Amino acid sequence: MSGIIAAALLLWLAGTAGRWRCFQKMGCRGWEAAVPVYRTWLLFHELYGSGRRMLRLLLPLYNVYIYLRYGADLALAFNRGAWFGLGLALLPCLFFPILGFGRAVYLDGSAQ
């Protein structure tokens, strides 16, 4: 049981550290990655120009599309493919460290 908790804690730490580096690459402060709702609002603000678009995540069934689209747009903003964005949406604890600690450079972020 303690091994499962340790693995979960390690994955959470890796995901937070990867988000921290991604935020720094985007020109934001790294600590903003540790605040759960605020980090989502900030990512929506960086990608789409308005953090209020995050409220679409509250709509049932439509939120699945928005979340997958958000992952793809974030990956494209870092010059990665849409499949990498699917990984960001489904397994963020593994793909954010790849994005944050890898050679990916934040381009523009303005998705249409």
Side-chain angles (χ1 to χ4, degrees), residues 20-108:
W20 189 292
R21 291 285 298 141
C22 285
F23 274 55
Q24 288 177 338
K25 287 182 178 184
M26 291 168 48
C28 301
R29 294 171 291 218
W31 65 265
E32 295 171 324
V35 183
V37 175
Y38 180 62
R39 72 177 174 214
T40 307
W41 179 85
L42 191 61
L43 283 173
F44 270 79
H45 181 74
E46 286 290 325
L47 287 176
Y48 304 114
S50 173
R52 290 183 291 165
R53 293 183 88 177
M54 180 190 80
L55 295 175
R56 294 180 182 178
L57 290 173
L58 298 174
L59 300 172
L61 297 179
Y62 187 60
N63 61 356
V64 175
Y65 167 74
I66 292 296
Y67 194 67
L68 293 175
R69 177 67 189 243
Y70 144 81
D73 289 341
L74 183 62
L76 292 174
F78 277 95
N79 202 22
R80 297 289 186 142
W83 288 106
F84 191 85
L86 182 66
L88 273 173
L90 297 178
L91 293 169
C93 57
L94 298 177
F95 281 84
F96 267 106
I98 294 170
L99 195 62
F101 294 110
R103 294 185 181 177
V105 177
Y106 183 68
L107 299 175
D108 183 18

